[in-house]
Amino acid sequence: GQNIDQPTEMTATEGAIVQINCTYQTSGFNGLFWYQQHAGEAPTFLSYNVLDGLEEKGRFSSFLSRSKGYSYLLLKELQMKDSASYLCAVYDSNYQLIWGAGTKLIIKP
Amino acid sequence: GAVVSQHPSWVICKSGTSVKIECRSLDFQATTMFWYRQFPKQSLMLMATSNEGSKATYEQGVEKDKFLINHASLTLSTLTVTSAHPEDSSFYICSARDEASGSWNEQFFGPGTRLTVL
């Protein structure tokens, strides 16, 4: 079956750095997405990785290792507004988006 | 980026009635739109893929006669929840791909519709 694992919840301090991991097992791979979702709102796009390596975009970076079926989202200089759920999703061989359950990130002052 | 709208943003209805939710791509054409459902504290669950001009493709376990999807134009898909019951109360989200752009693989999400069935 297809499976995406990410931690259920993480807590971090304002101004710090946090890394959210995602491991996946899918039938084929055509890219991995990270989305941010605030409570009661729709997801918003953060990043897309299809090749191995690190993609940096401002305070957020995303890393992919296809051989390990692993990705992480790195958030730097955490702000209170970063409190949200972070969803990992993978395109399988049919370009169907397989979603993880999301990681709820709690930022404390 | 591309914009997707949904209407209504929230709706409350009585059990047994039908509710229609609209999803529009505002500045691009989308031959394919996706309908998701999300229960509290759970991830997105794909219900169906809506294809312009043809029948929708439903995921396993989703009743096509209960969740009617119509994708009549390149900018509009509708989801009708027929004979709604309290267990249908959920957050319904649509998304679309801008297949003409360089970022065709990114899904743009609508703001979601919160349905409450009394």
Side-chain angles (χ1 to χ4, degrees):
Chain A
Q2 312 213 82
N3 194 48
I4 294 184
D5 288 317
Q6 49 182 132
T8 304
E9 187 173 298
M10 298 182 71
T11 302
T13 305
E14 189 177 16
I17 298 173
V18 71
Q19 177 175 310
I20 303 174
N21 296 324
C22 170
T23 58
Y24 62 89
Q25 292 175 309
T26 56
S27 54
F29 177 84
N30 279 301
L32 184 144
F33 294 85
W34 282 97
Y35 281 86
Q36 180 191 61
Q37 186 178 26
H38 285 100
E41 298 180 11
T44 55
F45 171 81
L46 290 178
S47 67
Y48 171 69
N49 293 67
V50 67
L51 299 176
D52 290 349
L54 186 69
E55 296 269 350
E56 296 185 75
K57 191 185 292 185
R59 293 189 299 115
F60 294 2
S61 303
S62 56
F63 171 83
L64 174 68
S65 170
R66 288 172 296 171
S67 62
K68 295 181 179 178
Y70 166 71
S71 171
Y72 68 72
L73 179 69
L74 191 70
L75 293 78
K76 302 177 184 176
E77 301 169 19
L78 286 170
Q79 302 175 9
M80 297 303 292
K81 67 178 183 180
D82 297 330
S83 292
S85 287
Y86 291 85
L87 307 174
C88 174
V90 171
Y91 264 145
D92 68 8
S93 57
N94 296 318
Y95 286 95
Q96 177 165 333
L97 207 52
I98 312 299
W99 291 88
T103 298
K104 182 178 180 182
L105 178 62
I106 299 169
I107 309 297
K108 294 185 175 179
Chain B
V3 179
V4 176
S5 71
Q6 265 184 257
H7 177 80
S9 55
W10 60 270
V11 58
I12 301 173
C13 69
K14 293 182 179 179
S15 185
T17 61
S18 294
V19 174
K20 180 186 282 189
I21 303 171
E22 293 185 350
C23 177
R24 293 181 186 272
S25 56
L26 296 186
D27 50 1
F28 66 100
Q29 294 183 330
T31 55
T32 306
M33 290 184 174
F34 304 90
W35 286 98
Y36 292 88
R37 181 167 54 182
Q38 187 176 34
F39 293 105
K41 299 185 179 181
Q42 295 186 23
S43 190
L44 296 168
M45 201 174 68
L46 180 66
M47 298 175 67
T49 302
S50 172
N51 305 296
E52 187 269 336
S54 65
K55 292 182 180 180
T57 304
Y58 289 82
E59 295 301 303
Q60 194 172 6
V62 178
E63 300 174 59
K64 61 181 181 180
D65 294 331
K66 180 171 181 63
F67 298 99
L68 301 179
I69 291 174
N70 188 333
H71 194 153
S73 79
L74 287 171
T75 58
L76 173 64
S77 175
T78 60
L79 168 69
T80 302
V81 183
T82 62
S83 186
H85 288 95
E87 58 265 30
D88 298 322
S89 298
S90 187
F91 192 44
Y92 291 86
I93 309 172
C94 73
S95 71
R97 287 199 296 238
D98 182 0
E99 293 162 2
S101 78
S103 60
W104 69 270
N105 45 25
E106 177 183 343
Q107 287 193 21
F108 298 95
F109 286 86
T113 297
R114 186 160 302 282
L115 170 64
T116 302
V117 184
L118 302 177

